[in-house]
Structures are given as structure tokens and as C-alpha cells.
Amino acid sequence: MKIKERIIRSLKILYTARDCITPLEMEKMQAVLYTFADKFLNKDELDNVKEVITMTTLGRMIFNDGVEKGIRAMVLENLEEDVCDERICEKLQKHFSLTREEAKEKVRVYKAQE
């Protein structure tokens, strides 16, 4: 069996066994498989594995981290350009599907970090 197939099969087994192991154990095992995929697969094989990885907890965490970095970058860039908070909130709502309250909180948090 090819390494790609082993990784995919292992991820699917983990996903179906999520009720049998703790979330921490799940994250650790997914992290190991993700590391194997990154180390041993070429770009085309990684694209095939990507679909399975995204349905895992680790995949969702990585996605959410990327979204948060995008939100942070947008807020900071707009603050540097002296865009008003209300307009930044509108942009966050449009591009990241945040509620008005969520957008205001993001602006508040990143403005405090400036």
C-alpha cells in the first residue's frame, strides 16, 4: 500500500473512532499523520490527502488559525490607513461572515495590541 493510501486510511480510522479516544489523543495522532503527509508526499499526493485532512480536528484548527490571521492582517492594515472602526467592521462582516458584535470585538482586540 502506498504511503498516501496509508495516511488517508489512518485519518479515516481516526475520524470514525473519535468517540473512543480523548480529543487530546485525537489531536496528537492527527498531528503525526499530518507530519508524515507533509514529509513523505509530493504536492499532487498532498492535494489528494488534503480533503481528508480538512475534515479532521487538526484540519479545522489549521483553517481557523488561517482565518484569524487574515482577520488580524485586515484589521491592522486598515488601522494603519486610519480607516474608521465602523468601516473595518463592515469589511470584516462582508469578507469573513462575522456578526456585527464579532467584528467589533475583533477590532477592539487588535486595536488594543497596536
Side-chain angles (χ1 to χ4, degrees):
M1 184 184 304
K2 292 183 177 181
I3 293 174
K4 175 185 82 171
E5 293 165 3
R6 289 180 188 179
I7 291 170
I8 289 173
R9 188 173 290 177
S10 298
L11 286 165
K12 287 181 178 179
I13 289 169
L14 278 178
Y15 190 71
T16 59
R18 66 183 175 269
D19 296 334
C20 303
I21 56 179
T22 68
L24 181 59
E25 291 171 326
M26 175 70 82
E27 287 177 23
K28 287 180 180 180
M29 288 187 264
Q30 288 172 348
V32 168
L33 291 170
Y34 181 80
T35 302
F36 284 156
D38 190 49
K39 183 168 181 79
F40 295 111
L41 302 181
N42 63 39
K43 184 177 177 349
D44 292 334
E45 292 171 322
L46 276 173
D47 286 340
N48 292 334
V49 173
K50 181 175 96 172
E51 195 173 302
V52 178
I53 289 176
T54 57
M55 70 180 191
T56 66
T57 304
L58 181 62
R60 285 190 302 273
M61 289 170 60
I62 292 168
F63 176 81
N64 291 339
D65 285 349
V67 169
E68 191 62 33
K69 286 178 182 177
I71 290 171
R72 181 178 187 274
M74 178 184 270
V75 171
L76 294 176
E77 181 176 310
N78 278 271
L79 288 172
E80 285 176 6
E81 295 174 1
D82 291 324
V83 175
C84 71
D85 292 2
E86 186 62 32
R87 181 68 183 123
I88 297 171
C89 288
E90 290 171 2
K91 290 180 179 185
L92 290 174
Q93 288 175 272
K94 178 182 175 184
H95 296 289
F96 293 97
S97 301
L98 298 178
T99 65
R100 184 173 177 80
E101 293 74 28
E102 291 169 332
K104 282 182 175 183
E105 179 62 15
K106 298 292 184 188
V107 171
R108 187 192 66 72
V109 167
Y110 292 122
K111 199 172 192 178
Q113 292 179 1
E114 248 192 333

